[in-house]
Amino acid sequence: MNLKENALSVLRAEQNYISGETLAERLNVTRQAVNKAVNALIAEGCKIESGKNRGYRLLYSALPDFARLRERFPQTDFLWRDKTDSTNAEAQRLYASGVRGRTAIFAKEQTAGKARYGGAFDSPAGGGLYVTLLDFPNIAPQEISAYSENVYEKTARALCCERKEFRLFKEGAHAGGMLVETISDPDKVLCAAAGIGVYLHCFKQDLATLAEEIFSALL
């Protein structure tokens, strides 16, 4: 983890204020480095309250809890993007570059989000969470349809959503969408990019919990 993620992990674990001095000691860095990390978190949308002689207190996190995700799923690499064209496209580029380990890409904005049948998935900054798992299922090409159906069904169930094909609904409102894409040779599936995008206003969970629920569903 980088300093920003470490600082966020400590702030998440604290119910009350934590002084800059204590935070610096726990992270084994200077107060100046702590201040820089906190400002970076605020710039990314986290709400952190601060005050003289009180320190810092996390009110809201705009980032998934990567420390917890890495602890729960140690065989997975986790990547964060403020903005990308498409998390599915990024997963496919990672595969093309030689990545062969399970990798999850999270983003808070997509400029060219994908939907089924070549459509576009609206992915505004700050309004959603967009996740793709680059996975390596041991399946044959003729099993892709069943694999995709399994992803869609388990995701909808995990998020307590009504499912209409690849779209998610919550209390009648469009809450997100799902898209599984694969790269195959004639004999087997080489990799799968299982993508899920959700609109945050449709869910009561905080972002960290929602991210964990999405990733658990993907696995």
Side-chain angles (χ1 to χ4, degrees):
M1 288 192 294
N2 58 36
L3 176 57
K4 184 177 63 178
E5 290 181 3
N6 279 323
L8 183 57
S9 182
V10 174
L11 289 169
R12 272 200 177 102
E14 292 291 331
Q15 297 289 325
N16 299 309
Y17 283 92
I18 180 171
S19 71
E21 181 179 0
T22 301
L23 190 53
E25 288 176 356
R26 289 193 188 179
L27 299 175
N28 196 29
V29 297
T30 64
R31 288 283 300 276
Q32 184 179 10
V34 164
N35 188 59
K36 185 176 180 180
V38 168
N39 286 337
L41 290 169
I42 292 172
E44 292 195 9
C46 294
K47 294 181 181 178
I48 299 174
E49 195 173 54
S50 62
K52 190 175 181 180
N53 300 323
R54 290 189 299 177
Y56 305 102
R57 182 164 68 104
L58 180 67
L59 301 179
Y60 170 78
S61 173
L63 299 172
D65 189 346
F66 289 113
R68 179 169 168 77
L69 285 169
R70 289 188 179 104
E71 182 180 331
R72 282 197 62 192
F73 308 105
Q75 302 304 314
T76 304
D77 190 19
F78 292 90
L79 305 177
W80 171 257
R81 300 289 184 261
D82 288 333
K83 179 190 291 189
T84 187
D85 54 349
S86 158
T87 54
N88 267 28
E90 185 147 352
Q92 291 165 339
R93 287 193 294 269
L94 288 172
Y95 176 79
S97 73
V99 173
R100 294 297 182 269
R102 180 186 288 157
T103 306
I105 304 104
F106 288 77
K108 66 178 181 181
E109 180 182 2
Q110 296 183 120
T111 58
K114 297 181 178 183
R116 286 280 295 276
Y117 312 124
F121 182 77
D122 187 31
S123 311
L129 180 64
Y130 316 105
V131 187
T132 292
L133 176 66
L134 173 62
D135 199 15
F136 301 88
N138 184 25
I139 59 173
Q142 58 267 30
E143 297 176 281
I144 291 174
S145 179
Y147 173 86
S148 300
E149 177 67 18
N150 188 45
V151 170
Y152 299 152
E153 186 60 31
K154 286 188 175 180
T155 299
R157 193 182 310 134
L159 298 178
C160 299
C161 285
E162 179 187 357
R163 176 193 159 204
K164 295 181 180 178
E165 293 189 52
F166 53 90
R167 294 184 295 168
L168 298 170
F169 291 84
K170 199 92 166 172
E171 297 177 356
H174 184 206
M178 304 168 288
L179 176 64
V180 173
E181 297 180 298
T182 59
I183 297 174
S184 305
D185 66 16
D187 299 317
K188 65 179 180 179
V189 172
L190 301 175
C191 74
I196 300 172
V198 295
Y199 299 126
L200 298 179
H201 70 273
C202 293
F203 296 87
K204 296 178 181 179
Q205 305 96 313
D206 61 31
L207 189 143
T209 303
L210 185 59
E212 193 167 343
E213 289 176 353
I214 289 173
F215 190 72
S216 296
L218 283 172
L219 286 181

